[in-house]
Amino acid sequence: MAKQRGDRTEQETAASMEELPSTVRQNAERVTDIMSEISAASQEQSAGTEQVNQTVTQMDEDIQQNAALVEEATAAARSMEDQVNQLSDFTSADGAWGSSGGAL
């Protein structure tokens, strides 16, 4: 009986040893598949990050352009205000329109 048990254990061990390379190969293939998925996901993430960077750069350029336009509009408004003040000063000055009531 001990011999039969020993033979059975030997057979089971041999069967396990035969299955071991197959299991290791399957696990290695699984790890390879997972690594491929990680690599693909990393590439997608990198491409997405690049798109975000490009968009942020474009937004920054647009903001700078808008700021320049605001500065130009502010300068134009100040110039118009100065001109209005000068015109107002001119028209309200004594005798600016002459004595004929406004005709030059």
Side-chain angles (χ1 to χ4, degrees):
M1 202 179 246
K3 182 169 178 352
Q4 288 177 344
R5 228 181 306 147
D7 287 343
R8 191 170 2 133
T9 302
E10 182 181 336
Q11 290 172 352
E12 289 172 359
T13 301
S16 292
M17 294 298 283
E18 288 175 11
E19 291 176 11
L20 187 59
S22 174
T23 302
V24 169
R25 187 174 25 294
Q26 289 173 351
N27 286 340
E29 289 172 359
R30 187 168 172 226
V31 167
T32 300
D33 290 344
I34 291 170
M35 293 299 291
S36 294
E37 290 175 14
I38 290 171
S39 176
S42 293
Q43 289 174 353
E44 288 179 21
Q45 185 178 23
S46 178
T49 300
E50 180 60 30
Q51 285 181 323
V52 168
N53 285 339
Q54 289 174 354
T55 301
V56 168
T57 298
Q58 182 63 49
M59 289 173 60
D60 184 51
E61 291 172 3
D62 292 345
I63 288 169
Q64 290 178 12
Q65 184 178 10
N66 287 344
L69 292 172
V70 166
E71 287 179 19
E72 288 178 22
T74 301
R78 285 185 181 142
S79 175
M80 288 174 61
E81 182 181 24
D82 290 344
Q83 291 174 8
V84 165
N85 288 336
Q86 288 174 359
L87 182 59
S88 177
D89 290 345
F90 178 76
T91 58
S92 66
D94 290 334
W97 290 96
S99 60
S100 62
L104 290 176

XYZ file of all heavy atoms in Angstrom:
771
model
N 0.807 -1.176 0.000
C 0.000 0.000 0.000
C 0.864 1.259 0.000
O 0.541 2.215 -0.702
C -0.894 -0.023 1.231
C -2.057 0.839 1.013
S -3.114 0.831 2.388
C -4.518 0.068 1.767
N 1.921 1.262 0.767
C 2.819 2.396 0.795
C 3.445 2.585 -0.574
O 3.646 3.704 -1.024
C 3.894 2.200 1.856
N 3.728 1.469 -1.238
C 4.311 1.556 -2.583
C 3.298 2.155 -3.543
O 3.646 2.982 -4.384
C 4.746 0.173 -3.060
C 5.393 0.235 -4.422
C 6.044 -1.056 -4.752
C 6.686 -1.134 -6.094
N 6.580 -0.205 -7.053
N 2.039 1.743 -3.417
C 1.008 2.309 -4.297
C 0.843 3.813 -4.053
O 0.680 4.589 -4.988
C -0.328 1.604 -4.059
C -0.373 0.206 -4.596
C -1.702 -0.468 -4.258
O -2.435 -0.006 -3.394
N -1.972 -1.565 -4.933
N 0.854 4.182 -2.762
C 0.761 5.594 -2.433
C 1.958 6.358 -2.995
O 1.816 7.444 -3.547
C 0.704 5.778 -0.910
C -0.405 6.699 -0.525
C -0.528 6.952 0.942
N -0.632 5.724 1.704
C -0.149 5.540 2.917
N 0.463 6.520 3.537
N -0.273 4.410 3.551
N 3.115 5.794 -2.892
C 4.325 6.411 -3.423
C 4.269 6.521 -4.931
O 4.676 7.532 -5.512
N 3.744 5.467 -5.589
C 3.622 5.501 -7.047
C 2.629 6.582 -7.473
O 2.865 7.309 -8.441
C 3.150 4.133 -7.569
C 4.239 3.066 -7.495
O 5.422 3.449 -7.349
O 3.904 1.874 -7.595
N 1.514 6.662 -6.743
C 0.503 7.663 -7.057
C 1.065 9.077 -6.854
O 0.853 9.963 -7.684
C -0.733 7.462 -6.179
C -1.899 8.288 -6.650
C -3.193 7.939 -5.952
N -3.045 6.916 -4.943
C -3.550 6.958 -3.706
N -4.287 7.975 -3.347
N -3.359 5.997 -2.849
N 1.798 9.288 -5.764
C 2.405 10.584 -5.500
C 3.402 10.924 -6.598
O 3.472 12.066 -7.069
C 3.106 10.579 -4.133
O 2.152 10.260 -3.127
C 3.735 11.922 -3.831
N 4.151 9.899 -7.016
C 5.124 10.112 -8.091
C 4.413 10.481 -9.389
O 4.831 11.392 -10.104
C 5.958 8.846 -8.294
C 7.025 8.996 -9.350
C 7.817 7.712 -9.548
O 7.879 6.873 -8.647
O 8.378 7.579 -10.647
N 3.307 9.830 -9.679
C 2.546 10.132 -10.897
C 1.939 11.545 -10.832
O 1.959 12.288 -11.811
C 1.447 9.087 -11.106
C 1.966 7.738 -11.484
C 0.856 6.681 -11.492
O -0.264 6.946 -11.078
N 1.198 5.476 -11.943
N 1.417 11.868 -9.672
C 0.836 13.204 -9.502
C 1.911 14.279 -9.639
O 1.686 15.320 -10.263
C 0.136 13.309 -8.151
C -1.134 12.508 -8.058
C -1.720 12.470 -6.665
O -1.108 13.071 -5.732
O -2.778 11.861 -6.486
N 3.075 14.017 -9.062
C 4.183 14.971 -9.151
C 4.626 15.108 -10.598
O 4.857 16.223 -11.090
C 5.361 14.514 -8.266
O 4.910 14.412 -6.916
C 6.510 15.504 -8.349
N 4.717 13.985 -11.294
C 5.123 14.019 -12.700
C 4.099 14.788 -13.532
O 4.460 15.597 -14.401
C 5.304 12.605 -13.228
N 2.818 14.574 -13.254
C 1.767 15.276 -13.986
C 1.850 16.778 -13.694
O 1.710 17.612 -14.601
C 0.393 14.736 -13.615
N 2.089 17.118 -12.445
C 2.210 18.527 -12.078
C 3.413 19.159 -12.761
O 3.350 20.300 -13.222
C 2.363 18.675 -10.564
O 1.174 18.297 -9.917
N 4.506 18.424 -12.822
C 5.707 18.935 -13.475
C 5.472 19.135 -14.971
O 6.009 20.064 -15.556
C 6.889 17.984 -13.239
C 7.334 17.896 -11.793
S 7.918 19.465 -11.153
C 9.514 19.520 -11.899
N 4.667 18.263 -15.576
C 4.359 18.415 -16.997
C 3.463 19.632 -17.234
O 3.591 20.326 -18.235
C 3.681 17.151 -17.530
C 4.610 15.972 -17.662
C 3.884 14.695 -18.074
O 2.693 14.776 -18.452
O 4.505 13.628 -18.014
N 2.562 19.887 -16.292
C 1.659 21.027 -16.415
C 2.356 22.345 -16.109
O 1.945 23.401 -16.601
C 0.475 20.868 -15.455
C -0.465 19.758 -15.832
C -1.574 19.572 -14.812
O -1.721 20.436 -13.920
O -2.295 18.570 -14.907
N 3.430 22.306 -15.337
C 4.112 23.506 -14.903
C 4.594 24.367 -16.071
O 4.294 25.564 -16.101
C 5.270 23.157 -13.967
C 5.968 24.333 -13.311
C 4.989 25.151 -12.474
C 7.113 23.838 -12.446
N 5.301 23.815 -17.070
C 5.719 24.678 -18.182
C 4.533 25.313 -18.911
O 4.595 26.463 -19.320
C 6.501 23.751 -19.106
C 6.963 22.640 -18.220
C 5.882 22.482 -17.190
N 3.444 24.587 -19.040
C 2.260 25.118 -19.698
C 1.678 26.268 -18.885
O 1.306 27.311 -19.435
C 1.229 23.998 -19.876
O 0.033 24.523 -20.379
N 1.605 26.108 -17.587
C 1.084 27.148 -16.707
C 1.981 28.381 -16.730
O 1.501 29.514 -16.824
C 0.954 26.614 -15.268
O 0.106 25.472 -15.272
C 0.387 27.655 -14.337
N 3.282 28.140 -16.676
C 4.228 29.255 -16.722
C 4.101 29.977 -18.056
O 4.099 31.205 -18.114
C 5.673 28.762 -16.496
C 6.684 29.854 -16.803
C 5.850 28.251 -15.066
N 3.987 29.230 -19.135
C 3.845 29.842 -20.463
C 2.562 30.665 -20.532
O 2.561 31.790 -21.038
C 3.856 28.752 -21.547
C 3.878 29.318 -22.945
C 4.037 28.327 -24.072
N 3.714 27.065 -24.051
C 4.012 25.854 -23.479
N 4.579 25.654 -22.929
N 3.715 24.715 -23.432
N 1.463 30.117 -19.999
C 0.193 30.849 -20.001
C 0.301 32.129 -19.178
O -0.179 33.192 -19.593
C -0.931 29.966 -19.456
C -1.340 28.857 -20.388
C -2.337 27.903 -19.731
O -2.584 27.987 -18.539
N -2.890 27.003 -20.530
N 0.936 32.026 -18.024
C 1.109 33.216 -17.183
C 2.007 34.242 -17.869
O 1.741 35.443 -17.796
C 1.676 32.836 -15.815
C 0.642 32.154 -14.932
O -0.548 32.280 -15.157
N 1.102 31.414 -13.942
N 3.046 33.779 -18.533
C 3.943 34.689 -19.254
C 3.194 35.381 -20.384
O 3.358 36.588 -20.613
C 5.150 33.933 -19.788
N 2.357 34.633 -21.096
C 1.557 35.227 -22.169
C 0.585 36.257 -21.597
O 0.381 37.326 -22.179
C 0.801 34.149 -22.935
C 1.693 33.277 -23.801
C 0.964 32.092 -24.406
O -0.248 31.916 -24.137
O 1.615 31.332 -25.134
N 0.011 35.931 -20.469
C -0.916 36.853 -19.819
C -0.204 38.134 -19.400
O -0.716 39.247 -19.610
C -1.552 36.166 -18.606
C -2.636 36.960 -17.978
C -3.410 36.116 -16.985
N -4.322 36.967 -16.259
C -4.483 36.938 -14.950
N -3.819 36.086 -14.222
N -5.329 37.746 -14.367
N 0.990 37.984 -18.827
C 1.771 39.153 -18.430
C 2.131 39.978 -19.666
O 2.046 41.205 -19.656
C 3.039 38.732 -17.655
C 4.014 39.900 -17.505
C 2.674 38.178 -16.286
N 2.503 39.305 -20.753
C 2.837 40.000 -21.996
C 1.628 40.768 -22.521
O 1.760 41.920 -22.960
C 3.339 38.997 -23.060
O 4.508 38.337 -22.559
C 3.669 39.679 -24.356
N 0.460 40.149 -22.477
C -0.764 40.827 -22.920
C -1.044 42.058 -22.056
O -1.393 43.128 -22.581
C -1.963 39.870 -22.868
C -1.899 38.772 -23.916
O -1.107 38.911 -24.870
O -2.632 37.783 -23.762
N -0.894 41.920 -20.764
C -1.139 43.043 -19.854
C -0.140 44.165 -20.130
O -0.516 45.351 -20.173
C -1.067 42.583 -18.375
C -2.263 41.679 -18.056
C -1.018 43.775 -17.428
C -2.170 40.985 -16.713
N 1.117 43.807 -20.346
C 2.138 44.820 -20.640
C 1.821 45.530 -21.950
O 2.011 46.747 -22.060
C 3.525 44.178 -20.703
C 4.015 43.650 -19.365
S 4.181 44.916 -18.110
C 5.563 45.823 -18.755
N 1.319 44.807 -22.935
C 0.934 45.424 -24.208
C -0.219 46.405 -24.006
O -0.234 47.498 -24.587
C 0.537 44.356 -25.226
O 1.639 43.565 -25.565
N -1.192 46.012 -23.186
C -2.310 46.900 -22.890
C -1.840 48.161 -22.160
O -2.297 49.267 -22.463
C -3.357 46.168 -22.055
C -4.103 45.085 -22.815
C -5.059 44.295 -21.935
O -5.351 44.745 -20.806
O -5.499 43.230 -22.376
N -0.921 47.982 -21.225
C -0.380 49.132 -20.492
C 0.352 50.057 -21.457
O 0.215 51.291 -21.395
C 0.541 48.671 -19.345
C -0.287 48.010 -18.244
C 1.360 49.838 -18.788
C 0.531 47.335 -17.163
N 1.129 49.475 -22.353
C 1.875 50.271 -23.331
C 0.925 51.055 -24.232
O 1.135 52.248 -24.479
C 2.773 49.366 -24.175
O 3.430 50.100 -25.171
N -0.123 50.395 -24.711
C -1.103 51.077 -25.572
C -1.802 52.192 -24.804
O -1.989 53.300 -25.329
C -2.117 50.074 -26.110
N -2.160 51.928 -23.564
C -2.822 52.949 -22.750
C -1.884 54.129 -22.492
O -2.310 55.289 -22.523
C -3.294 52.348 -21.426
N -0.616 53.840 -22.277
C 0.361 54.913 -22.055
C 0.506 55.773 -23.299
O 0.609 57.003 -23.207
C 1.723 54.322 -21.672
O 1.651 53.691 -20.422
N 0.521 55.146 -24.467
C 0.618 55.900 -25.715
C -0.614 56.783 -25.909
O -0.498 57.943 -26.325
C 0.795 54.960 -26.902
C 2.156 54.297 -26.943
C 2.271 53.257 -28.039
O 1.305 52.925 -28.712
N 3.469 52.734 -28.219
N -1.780 56.250 -25.619
C -3.010 57.042 -25.729
C -2.985 58.215 -24.746
O -3.365 59.332 -25.093
C -4.230 56.166 -25.460
C -4.544 55.188 -26.565
C -5.750 54.311 -26.243
O -6.564 54.696 -25.387
O -5.860 53.235 -26.856
N -2.526 57.941 -23.548
C -2.452 59.000 -22.536
C -1.462 60.072 -22.976
O -1.725 61.268 -22.832
C -2.041 58.418 -21.190
C -2.049 59.433 -20.071
C -1.685 58.817 -18.739
O -1.040 57.772 -18.669
N -2.093 59.465 -17.665
N -0.348 59.650 -23.527
C 0.650 60.608 -24.000
C 0.078 61.473 -25.123
O 0.277 62.694 -25.134
C 1.889 59.860 -24.492
O 2.842 60.745 -24.993
N -0.633 60.853 -26.048
C -1.250 61.614 -27.146
C -2.288 62.589 -26.597
O -2.367 63.742 -27.033
C -1.879 60.660 -28.157
N -3.077 62.147 -25.635
C -4.080 63.018 -25.017
C -3.437 64.181 -24.287
O -3.904 65.322 -24.374
N -2.351 63.911 -23.589
C -1.631 64.967 -22.878
C -1.070 65.986 -23.863
O -1.125 67.194 -23.617
C -0.489 64.367 -22.028
O -1.058 63.465 -21.076
C 0.282 65.437 -21.292
N -0.559 65.509 -24.988
C -0.035 66.417 -26.012
C -1.142 67.309 -26.564
O -0.940 68.505 -26.771
C 0.622 65.631 -27.143
C 1.199 66.491 -28.247
C 2.270 67.462 -27.780
O 2.979 67.156 -26.798
O 2.395 68.546 -28.373
N -2.326 66.737 -26.779
C -3.454 67.538 -27.257
C -3.833 68.608 -26.237
O -4.117 69.759 -26.595
C -4.666 66.651 -27.548
C -4.545 65.854 -28.821
C -5.791 65.016 -29.068
O -6.390 64.484 -28.151
N -6.167 64.902 -30.335
N -3.846 68.239 -24.971
C -4.165 69.204 -23.913
C -3.122 70.317 -23.899
O -3.463 71.503 -23.818
C -4.252 68.512 -22.533
C -4.300 69.537 -21.401
C -5.458 67.591 -22.470
N -1.840 69.940 -24.016
C -0.773 70.948 -24.032
C -0.934 71.906 -25.209
O -0.772 73.124 -25.053
C 0.600 70.278 -24.087
C 1.003 69.665 -22.766
O 0.484 70.027 -21.720
N 1.918 68.723 -22.804
N -1.260 71.369 -26.379
C -1.456 72.217 -27.554
C -2.636 73.163 -27.345
O -2.569 74.345 -27.701
C -1.672 71.368 -28.805
C -0.425 70.645 -29.282
C -0.699 69.704 -30.434
O -1.842 69.489 -30.828
N 0.352 69.118 -30.975
N -3.701 72.652 -26.773
C -4.886 73.476 -26.522
C -4.578 74.584 -25.520
O -4.976 75.742 -25.716
C -6.049 72.598 -26.011
O -6.337 71.600 -26.996
C -7.283 73.418 -25.743
N -3.863 74.248 -24.461
C -3.505 75.250 -23.452
C -2.595 76.312 -24.073
O -2.767 77.517 -23.811
C -2.837 74.588 -22.230
C -2.200 75.627 -21.308
C -3.852 73.752 -21.460
N -1.664 75.886 -24.904
C -0.777 76.842 -25.581
C -1.586 77.777 -26.471
O -1.358 78.997 -26.481
C 0.288 76.094 -26.406
O 1.089 75.305 -25.522
C 1.184 77.054 -27.173
N -2.540 77.215 -27.214
C -3.381 78.039 -28.089
C -4.218 79.014 -27.265
O -4.359 80.188 -27.618
C -4.287 77.157 -28.949
C -5.166 77.938 -29.918
C -4.359 78.708 -30.940
O -3.463 78.171 -31.565
N -4.667 79.985 -31.110
N -4.764 78.538 -26.153
C -5.551 79.416 -25.284
C -4.683 80.546 -24.733
O -5.120 81.701 -24.662
C -6.167 78.614 -24.133
C -7.291 77.696 -24.559
S -7.874 76.606 -23.240
C -8.416 77.761 -22.027
N -3.453 80.237 -24.350
C -2.543 81.259 -23.841
C -2.271 82.313 -24.910
O -2.290 83.514 -24.620
C -1.236 80.612 -23.382
C -0.288 81.607 -22.747
O -0.726 82.337 -21.839
O 0.885 81.658 -23.164
N -2.041 81.865 -26.143
C -1.818 82.812 -27.243
C -3.054 83.687 -27.466
O -2.931 84.896 -27.679
C -1.455 82.061 -28.525
C -0.084 81.407 -28.476
C 0.195 80.507 -29.670
O -0.660 80.420 -30.587
O 1.271 79.879 -29.688
N -4.223 83.073 -27.418
C -5.471 83.834 -27.594
C -5.652 84.859 -26.477
O -6.067 86.002 -26.719
C -6.680 82.895 -27.638
C -6.707 82.026 -28.883
O -5.968 82.321 -29.854
O -7.465 81.031 -28.886
N -5.339 84.463 -25.254
C -5.467 85.377 -24.118
C -4.512 86.556 -24.279
O -4.888 87.711 -24.040
C -5.212 84.634 -22.786
C -6.396 83.707 -22.487
C -4.978 85.605 -21.635
C -6.152 82.744 -21.353
N -3.287 86.269 -24.710
C -2.321 87.349 -24.915
C -2.787 88.301 -26.017
O -2.659 89.522 -25.895
C -0.945 86.778 -25.251
C -0.278 86.093 -24.064
C 1.069 85.486 -24.416
O 1.626 85.749 -25.472
N 1.592 84.668 -23.526
N -3.344 87.716 -27.086
C -3.853 88.553 -28.180
C -5.029 89.408 -27.691
O -5.111 90.599 -28.003
C -4.282 87.680 -29.350
C -4.732 88.467 -30.565
C -5.103 87.571 -31.736
O -5.209 86.362 -31.596
N -5.324 88.169 -32.888
N -5.923 88.803 -26.927
C -7.061 89.555 -26.388
C -6.598 90.667 -25.459
O -7.146 91.782 -25.485
C -8.032 88.623 -25.656
C -8.826 87.751 -26.601
O -8.885 88.007 -27.793
N -9.415 86.700 -26.070
N -5.583 90.399 -24.652
C -5.053 91.427 -23.752
C -4.486 92.594 -24.557
O -4.682 93.765 -24.193
C -3.986 90.835 -22.833
N -3.792 92.273 -25.647
C -3.256 93.342 -26.503
C -4.385 94.165 -27.114
O -4.297 95.401 -27.189
C -2.371 92.741 -27.592
N -5.452 93.488 -27.531
C -6.599 94.210 -28.101
C -7.273 95.094 -27.052
O -7.701 96.207 -27.356
C -7.609 93.221 -28.692
C -7.153 92.458 -29.946
C -8.160 91.385 -30.319
C -6.931 93.421 -31.101
N -7.365 94.618 -25.836
C -7.947 95.420 -24.751
C -7.086 96.658 -24.514
O -7.603 97.766 -24.325
C -8.099 94.576 -23.466
C -8.381 95.455 -22.259
C -9.196 93.536 -23.638
N -5.767 96.473 -24.519
C -4.878 97.625 -24.335
C -5.069 98.639 -25.462
O -5.108 99.844 -25.214
C -3.426 97.165 -24.286
C -3.053 96.462 -22.991
C -1.604 95.998 -22.977
O -0.799 96.505 -23.786
O -1.285 95.140 -22.150
N -5.190 98.159 -26.692
C -5.413 99.058 -27.832
C -6.754 99.790 -27.695
O -6.844 100.997 -27.937
C -5.385 98.285 -29.152
C -4.015 97.805 -29.561
C -4.048 96.998 -30.842
O -5.001 97.143 -31.638
O -3.116 96.209 -31.050
N -7.790 99.054 -27.302
C -9.112 99.674 -27.141
C -9.086 100.705 -26.017
O -9.698 101.781 -26.127
C -10.166 98.600 -26.867
N -8.382 100.401 -24.948
C -8.264 101.342 -23.833
C -7.541 102.605 -24.278
O -7.970 103.729 -23.957
C -7.514 100.682 -22.652
O -8.246 99.516 -22.236
C -7.359 101.634 -21.485
N -6.467 102.432 -25.027
C -5.729 103.597 -25.521
C -6.600 104.425 -26.457
O -6.597 105.666 -26.396
C -4.453 103.144 -26.231
N -7.372 103.768 -27.314
C -8.257 104.491 -28.229
C -9.338 105.241 -27.456
O -9.666 106.391 -27.779
C -8.892 103.516 -29.223
N -9.881 104.603 -26.430
C -10.911 105.257 -25.620
C -10.338 106.474 -24.902
O -10.998 107.526 -24.819
C -11.500 104.270 -24.611
N -9.131 106.350 -24.388
C -8.501 107.500 -23.706
C -8.244 108.633 -24.700
O -8.438 109.799 -24.380
C -7.207 107.064 -23.044
C -7.440 106.266 -21.787
C -6.163 105.925 -21.065
N -6.464 105.130 -19.886
C -5.721 104.128 -19.461
N -4.616 103.793 -20.090
N -6.072 103.453 -18.380
N -7.812 108.271 -25.897
C -7.567 109.280 -26.926
C -8.866 109.997 -27.282
O -8.904 111.224 -27.407
C -6.963 108.633 -28.167
O -6.815 109.561 -29.206
N -9.945 109.224 -27.432
C -11.243 109.828 -27.742
C -11.689 110.722 -26.591
O -12.234 111.821 -26.816
C -12.295 108.757 -28.019
C -12.089 108.046 -29.345
S -13.231 106.675 -29.598
C -14.799 107.501 -29.573
N -11.462 110.294 -25.375
C -11.837 111.103 -24.218
C -11.060 112.416 -24.216
O -11.640 113.487 -23.971
C -11.568 110.326 -22.925
C -11.969 111.079 -21.669
C -11.679 110.304 -20.401
O -10.786 109.421 -20.413
O -12.338 110.591 -19.393
N -9.778 112.342 -24.515
C -8.968 113.562 -24.595
C -9.498 114.493 -25.680
O -9.593 115.717 -25.486
C -7.497 113.223 -24.867
C -6.815 112.572 -23.678
O -7.360 112.653 -22.554
O -5.726 111.982 -23.886
N -9.851 113.917 -26.830
C -10.369 114.730 -27.930
C -11.702 115.375 -27.564
O -11.946 116.546 -27.881
C -10.513 113.886 -29.202
C -9.180 113.459 -29.797
C -9.341 112.508 -30.965
O -10.444 112.261 -31.442
N -8.222 111.956 -31.423
N -12.562 114.607 -26.881
C -13.844 115.153 -26.439
C -13.608 116.294 -25.457
O -14.256 117.342 -25.536
C -14.730 114.042 -25.819
C -15.892 114.627 -25.037
C -15.219 113.084 -26.879
N -12.677 116.105 -24.534
C -12.370 117.158 -23.563
C -11.822 118.409 -24.260
O -12.190 119.530 -23.911
C -11.386 116.663 -22.510
C -12.026 115.676 -21.555
O -13.247 115.677 -21.379
N -11.221 114.830 -20.950
N -10.964 118.187 -25.252
C -10.419 119.331 -25.990
C -11.523 120.053 -26.751
O -11.578 121.284 -26.771
C -9.328 118.868 -26.962
C -8.042 118.453 -26.289
C -7.038 117.864 -27.277
O -7.319 117.744 -28.467
N -5.873 117.494 -26.771
N -12.399 119.289 -27.382
C -13.504 119.891 -28.134
C -14.437 120.647 -27.183
O -14.882 121.760 -27.476
C -14.277 118.818 -28.910
C -15.424 119.296 -29.777
C -14.921 120.298 -30.831
C -16.115 118.127 -30.443
N -14.676 120.048 -26.035
C -15.538 120.688 -25.042
C -14.895 121.982 -24.555
O -15.573 123.017 -24.428
C -15.770 119.740 -23.876
O -16.534 120.364 -22.873
N -13.602 121.931 -24.292
C -12.893 123.135 -23.866
C -12.947 124.196 -24.956
O -13.151 125.389 -24.687
C -11.429 122.819 -23.528
C -11.292 122.000 -22.257
O -12.283 121.904 -21.484
O -10.193 121.438 -22.044
N -12.776 123.776 -26.180
C -12.781 124.709 -27.309
C -14.144 125.372 -27.475
O -14.240 126.571 -27.675
C -12.388 123.961 -28.592
C -12.401 124.823 -29.805
C -11.385 125.743 -30.043
C -13.444 124.738 -30.727
C -11.397 126.536 -31.173
C -13.466 125.528 -31.847
C -12.452 126.434 -32.080
N -15.193 124.566 -27.400
C -16.540 125.115 -27.612
C -17.035 125.935 -26.431
O -17.891 126.802 -26.585
C -17.560 124.004 -27.901
O -17.567 123.071 -26.824
C -17.239 123.304 -29.199
N -16.509 125.682 -25.259
C -16.983 126.446 -24.098
C -16.110 127.666 -23.817
O -16.456 128.472 -22.973
C -17.034 125.549 -22.866
O -15.725 125.146 -22.514
N -15.009 127.805 -24.496
C -14.126 128.963 -24.267
C -14.820 130.233 -24.743
O -15.571 130.232 -25.711
C -12.813 128.754 -25.006
N -14.586 131.307 -24.053
C -15.175 132.593 -24.440
C -14.713 132.983 -25.825
O -13.515 133.032 -26.094
C -14.780 133.685 -23.444
C -15.449 133.487 -22.097
O -16.534 132.855 -22.079
O -14.907 133.959 -21.083
N -15.648 133.216 -26.672
C -15.339 133.681 -28.006
C -14.807 132.620 -28.940
O -14.326 132.950 -30.010
N -14.868 131.385 -28.569
C -14.318 130.348 -29.448
C -15.087 130.264 -30.736
O -14.517 129.991 -31.777
C -14.345 128.993 -28.729
N -16.382 130.531 -30.678
C -17.203 130.464 -31.897
C -17.359 131.856 -32.533
O -18.031 132.010 -33.513
C -18.584 129.884 -31.574
C -18.539 128.434 -31.244
C -18.489 127.875 -30.034
C -18.520 127.380 -32.186
N -18.441 126.510 -30.113
C -18.464 126.177 -31.438
C -18.532 127.290 -33.585
C -18.422 124.916 -32.046
C -18.492 126.033 -34.172
C -18.428 124.868 -33.407
N -16.730 132.768 -31.963
C -16.852 134.133 -32.472
C -18.087 134.818 -31.955
O -18.855 134.261 -31.200
N -18.322 136.004 -32.381
C -19.456 136.779 -31.868
C -20.727 136.531 -32.660
O -21.757 137.075 -32.332
C -19.102 138.264 -31.889
O -18.813 138.656 -33.228
N -20.658 135.745 -33.707
C -21.846 135.552 -34.537
C -22.695 134.379 -34.058
O -23.499 133.863 -34.797
C -21.450 135.354 -35.992
O -20.650 134.191 -36.111
N -22.455 133.906 -32.861
C -23.313 132.867 -32.296
C -22.981 131.475 -32.802
O -23.852 130.655 -32.958
N -21.755 131.202 -33.088
C -21.379 129.853 -33.451
C -20.732 129.713 -34.802
O -20.131 128.714 -35.080
N -20.857 130.708 -35.659
C -20.237 130.605 -36.985
C -18.798 131.030 -36.890
O -18.471 132.012 -36.222
C -20.978 131.454 -37.996
N -17.919 130.333 -37.533
C -16.498 130.705 -37.511
C -16.163 131.758 -38.489
O -16.536 132.067 -39.465
C -15.609 129.478 -37.788
C -15.576 128.455 -36.682
C -14.734 127.263 -37.130
C -14.980 129.024 -35.420
